[in-house]
């Protein structure tokens, strides 16, 4: 059933299925941190106190709202969207930088160590809550769906920015509604800088360009979400057209010098295999959790939903008048009963142009690529308290829905095996070896499965290693040369047949946090769980 992204039909359509109970539970207001528009600016009590009580002095205060709007996406017409806008109430006015002419939310520029307050007003006709993807913040500041506020509601965030310099983002996180809300336009970038980065000769200002890549389908001027109903939910929504920063056929005129290109895959489900069309290797500066130790190169970069890389692009020896094109190369898409690509006009694994860079002027200076970027401060594997029996999370379909260890989302519940001790370091293994077909509506015996970009809230993790089974190997080899596993990560793509081992510290904030697949349709269906960090 085709649906308009700005309606609640997605939600209602689920109410006749086996996941209805979970979805309904998700809409029960949870938690005590909702602050109504008429009460104080203080975030109210939560189950675990933040380290710094809210309401004190902050370095910057921002009013952030989500609201329905119409913006120009297709030339000469406007499209209904839901979007964020923000305004600096106190502090450096450059903290908030709108992306011109885009439905995307403004970019937030934070300095590590800053204390920030964000007052979120929800003016869309749906419940919502904002999550700061990749940031390590207390549980009641993290945008967990139990804190979702209704239309007209307000939520006050206060936290200290304590992430490494790099590219992060923010988006809604109400349970069952994240996919349609992000699709309708609700997402923006968070760029963090720190002293380590400030000391480097990296391109700044106009030479530092964000590239938020998303795919969308239009019916006339309006966005269409899930045109194939349940099929699109099972596979993940794939749009027909590619947008960068909210624009079709995106073009970024550049000068003959180096640039920093901050790439976010802000798509609901599409995986990109990014490369320069002329075969120049990509130079990578950052992964999800900030600057790498040293720049690395890849022939192409595989970027699953929510993953980020900052690229260093040098146009210094390009002739003026030439155009370089960033493309997504074809790859063998995971198949689920032959459906993958069967329903999308632009199938997963198809090749296409992403953005073009016409070289239009001579630069009088450039920034050289630094040899060394940062000290990542990685943990050692023998710090892991579960080194002999790592936690395993199996990604599989069961009873017609996507599950983590056979379970779907419950608003506040955790299983015994989802409780972690505060102060420890652990190994988690994501196993995408359950196949796509654990029974249920897709039938059996078709093999395969889908790729799942697995995300953990809270502290960033390191990727220890990966392995691939024989059935999955051929498809895997068309993307694995583009994995960038050298830096801190919060989201990792796990291909069918693949096992990924990650190492993570649980040493900052205790409490209830999420881990989930970042294919937003999978997340909305319940391929998401809580884990709880308990202090002893
Ligand atoms: Cu980007 Cu739990 O999300
Ligand atoms: Cu997140
Ligand atoms: Cu998934």
């Amino acid at each position: 059933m085709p649906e308009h992204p700005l309606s609640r039909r997605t939600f209602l359509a689920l109410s006749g299925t086996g996941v209805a109970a979970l979805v309904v539970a998700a809409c029960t207001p949870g938690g005590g941190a909702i602050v109504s528009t008429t009460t104080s600016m203080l975030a109210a009590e939560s189950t675990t106190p933040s380290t710094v009580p809210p309401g004190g002095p902050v370095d910057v205060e921002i009013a952030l709202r989500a609201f329905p709007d119409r913006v120009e996406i297709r030339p000469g017409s406007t499209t209904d969207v839901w979007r964020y806008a923000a305004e600096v109430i106190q502090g450096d006015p450059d903290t908030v930088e709108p992306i011109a002419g885009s439905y995307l939310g403004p970019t937030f520029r934070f300095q590590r160590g800053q204390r920030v307050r964000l007052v979120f007003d929800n003016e869309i006709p749906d419940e919502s809550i904002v999550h700061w993807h990749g940031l390590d913040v207390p549980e009641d500041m993290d945008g967990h769906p139990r804190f979702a506020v209704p239309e007209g509601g307000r939520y006050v965030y206060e936290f200290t920015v304590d992430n490494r310099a790099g590219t992060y983002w923010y988006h809604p996180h109400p349970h069952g509604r994240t996919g349609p809300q992000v699709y309708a336009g609700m997402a923006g970038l968070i760029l963090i800088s720190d002293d380590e980065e400030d000391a480097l000769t990296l391109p700044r200002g106009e030479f530092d360009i964000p590239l938020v890549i998303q795919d969308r389908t239009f019916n006339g001027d309006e966005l269409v979400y899930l045109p194939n109903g349940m099929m699109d939910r099972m596979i993940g929504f794939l749009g027909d057209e590619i947008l960068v920063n909210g624009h079709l056929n995106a073009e970024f005129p550049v000068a003959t010098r180096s640039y920093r290109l901050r790439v976010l895959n802000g798509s609901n489900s599409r995986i990109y295999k990014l490369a320069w069309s002329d075969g120049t290797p990509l130079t990578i500066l950052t992964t999800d959790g900030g600057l790498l130790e040293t720049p690395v190169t890849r022939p192409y970069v595989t970027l699953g939903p929510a993953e980020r890389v900052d690229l260093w692009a040098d146009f210094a020896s390009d002739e003026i008048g030439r155009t370089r094109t960033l493309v997504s190369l074809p790859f063998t898409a995971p198949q689920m009963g032959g459906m993958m690509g069967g329903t999308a006009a632009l199938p997963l694994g198809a090749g296409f142009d992403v953005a073009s860079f016409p070289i239009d002027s001579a630069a009088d200076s450039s920034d050289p690529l630094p040899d060394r970027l940062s000290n990542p401060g990685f943990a050692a594997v023998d710090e892991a308290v579960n080194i002999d029996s790592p936690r395993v999370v199996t990604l599989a379909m069961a009873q017609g829905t996507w599950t983590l260890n056979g379970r779907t989302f419950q608003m506040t519940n955790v299983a015994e095996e989802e409780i972690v001790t505060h102060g420890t370091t652990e190994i988690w293994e994501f196993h995408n070896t359950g196949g796509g077909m654990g029974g249920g509506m897709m039938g059996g015996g078709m093999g395969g499965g889908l790729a799942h970009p697995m995300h953990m809230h809270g502290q960033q993790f390191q990727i220890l290693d990966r392995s691939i089974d024989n059935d999955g190997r051929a498809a895997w080899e068309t993307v694995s040369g583009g994995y960038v596993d050298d830096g801190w990560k919060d989201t990792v793509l796990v291909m069918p047949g693949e096992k990924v081992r990650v190492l993570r510290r649980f040493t900052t904030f205790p409490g209830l946090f999420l881990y989930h697949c970042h294919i937003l349709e999978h997340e909305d269906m319940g391929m998401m769980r809580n884990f709880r960090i308990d202090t002893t």
Side-chain angles (χ1 to χ4, degrees):
M1 176 186 50
E3 39 194 290
H4 194 274
L6 311 189
S7 77
R8 290 187 62 88
R9 251 176 291 158
T10 317
F11 167 75
L12 295 172
L14 280 168
S15 301
T17 74
V19 291
L22 292 165
V23 173
V24 171
C27 294
T28 310
I34 298 169
V35 180
S36 85
T37 44
T38 53
T39 55
S40 79
M41 298 279 285
L42 302 184
E45 79 278 289
S46 71
T47 48
T48 311
S50 321
T51 48
V52 183
V58 292
D59 299 304
V60 62
E61 176 169 341
I62 296 166
L64 172 66
R65 63 189 193 107
F67 62 105
D69 201 1
R70 288 186 70 81
V71 298
E72 181 171 324
I73 301 177
R74 306 197 73 84
S77 67
T78 57
T79 300
D80 275 318
V81 299
W82 286 347
R83 56 186 294 250
Y84 292 115
E87 199 186 326
V88 177
I89 302 297
Q90 175 208 321
D92 184 354
D94 295 339
T95 306
V96 169
E97 188 186 328
I99 297 186
S102 176
Y103 58 76
L104 284 176
T107 300
F108 295 139
R109 291 180 181 275
F110 295 141
Q111 181 79 21
R112 187 172 191 176
Q114 261 183 341
R115 183 86 185 154
V116 300
R117 181 184 298 133
L118 293 124
V119 181
F120 169 60
D121 281 310
N122 179 20
E123 297 166 20
I124 59 164
D126 200 357
E127 63 163 11
S128 200
I129 191 74
V130 189
H131 168 58
W132 322 101
H133 181 120
L135 269 57
D136 185 21
V137 296
E139 59 168 350
D140 53 343
M141 298 294 134
D142 194 44
H144 189 282
R146 72 190 189 278
F147 299 126
V149 295
E151 179 178 15
R154 167 177 287 186
Y155 197 95
V156 180
Y157 297 87
E158 256 190 56
F159 54 84
T160 301
V161 176
D162 195 20
N163 278 76
R164 308 178 71 249
T167 302
Y168 304 83
W169 63 304
Y170 61 100
H171 62 74
H173 221 305
H175 184 48
R177 298 291 298 157
T178 297
Q181 291 185 12
V182 171
Y183 188 73
M186 291 165 69
L189 287 169
I190 300 172
L191 310 184
I192 298 178
S193 55
D194 63 11
D195 294 344
E196 202 173 33
E197 185 193 73
D198 289 347
L200 298 171
T201 58
L202 291 172
R204 289 175 218 286
E206 61 181 303
F207 311 121
D208 177 349
I209 303 176
L211 303 176
V212 179
I213 310 176
Q214 298 176 309
D215 54 343
R216 294 290 184 268
T217 295
F218 293 86
N219 178 5
D221 295 335
E222 301 304 333
L223 293 169
V224 181
Y225 185 53
L226 304 180
N228 305 295
M230 187 52 82
M231 189 76 92
D232 285 346
R233 279 195 192 93
M234 287 296 168
I235 292 171
F237 172 86
L238 293 165
D240 298 348
E241 297 186 80
I242 303 301
L243 283 74
V244 177
N245 301 347
H247 302 295
L248 297 158
N249 308 310
E251 231 186 60
F252 300 89
V254 293
T256 51
R257 69 170 341 270
S258 60
Y259 281 77
R260 179 176 186 169
L261 307 177
R262 301 181 184 249
V263 186
L264 159 67
N265 179 351
S267 309
N268 283 38
S269 106
R270 187 177 292 278
I271 299 162
Y272 299 89
K273 180 175 175 177
L274 299 173
W276 292 115
S277 61
D278 64 5
T280 308
L282 295 177
T283 301
I284 301 111
L285 302 170
T286 73
T287 50
D288 305 340
L291 290 166
L292 298 171
E293 186 165 12
T294 60
V296 301
T297 59
R298 294 285 185 277
Y300 61 89
V301 167
T302 303
L303 212 60
E307 289 187 297
R308 288 90 68 204
V309 285
D310 291 5
L311 304 173
W312 189 84
D314 196 358
F315 305 102
S317 52
D318 285 317
E319 262 166 67
I320 294 175
R322 186 185 164 211
T323 293
R324 280 227 247 155
T325 308
L326 189 68
V327 299
S328 186
L329 297 172
F331 58 92
T332 306
Q335 297 287 320
M336 196 164 81
M339 284 192 311
M340 178 53 75
T343 58
L346 187 63
L348 186 66
F352 46 81
D353 289 357
V354 172
S356 60
F357 297 84
I359 292 100
D360 78 343
S361 57
D364 32 64
S365 69
S366 191
D367 294 300
L369 178 65
D371 297 331
R372 195 185 151 77
L373 296 169
S374 78
N375 174 8
F378 288 135
V381 68
D382 56 18
E383 284 172 36
V385 293
N386 64 349
I387 191 162
D388 298 322
S389 56
R391 251 173 238 270
V392 173
V393 179
T394 299
L395 323 176
M397 180 162 284
Q399 274 80 53
T401 193
W402 289 108
T403 62
L404 300 173
N405 283 341
R407 302 185 185 92
T408 52
F409 185 61
Q410 294 169 287
M411 189 57 81
T412 52
N413 283 14
V414 287
E416 198 58 42
E417 69 198 40
E418 293 168 320
I419 300 172
V420 177
T421 303
H422 183 260
T424 61
T425 300
E426 290 203 357
I427 299 171
W428 285 41
E429 296 189 8
F430 297 109
H431 290 191
N432 191 356
T433 50
M437 311 298 149
M441 63 173 287
M442 294 305 169
M446 287 185 284
L450 299 183
H452 301 285
M454 289 303 300
H455 171 49
M456 294 181 81
H457 285 217
Q459 285 166 282
Q460 300 272 329
F461 52 78
Q462 298 152 241
I463 297 174
L464 291 175
D465 46 51
R466 302 171 179 260
S467 61
I468 183 73
D469 69 17
N470 284 333
D471 288 349
R473 181 171 300 277
W476 184 81
E477 283 176 346
T478 69
V479 297
S480 59
Y483 289 150
V484 188
D485 292 347
D486 313 59
W488 289 109
K489 295 283 292 171
D490 56 53
T491 308
V492 60
L493 188 65
V494 190
M495 288 286 283
E498 189 169 32
K499 293 182 182 176
V500 182
R501 292 202 314 149
V502 309
L503 181 66
R504 180 184 151 161
R505 294 184 177 122
F506 298 87
T507 51
T508 57
F509 302 106
L512 195 68
F513 294 93
L514 299 164
Y515 66 107
H516 58 90
C517 176
H518 221 288
I519 289 182
L520 299 181
E521 292 71 35
H522 294 181
E523 170 184 338
D524 280 347
M525 287 173 94
M527 195 179 190
M528 171 159 81
R529 292 285 303 172
N530 293 307
F531 65 93
R532 204 178 68 213
I533 307 172
D534 281 359
T535 49
T536 44

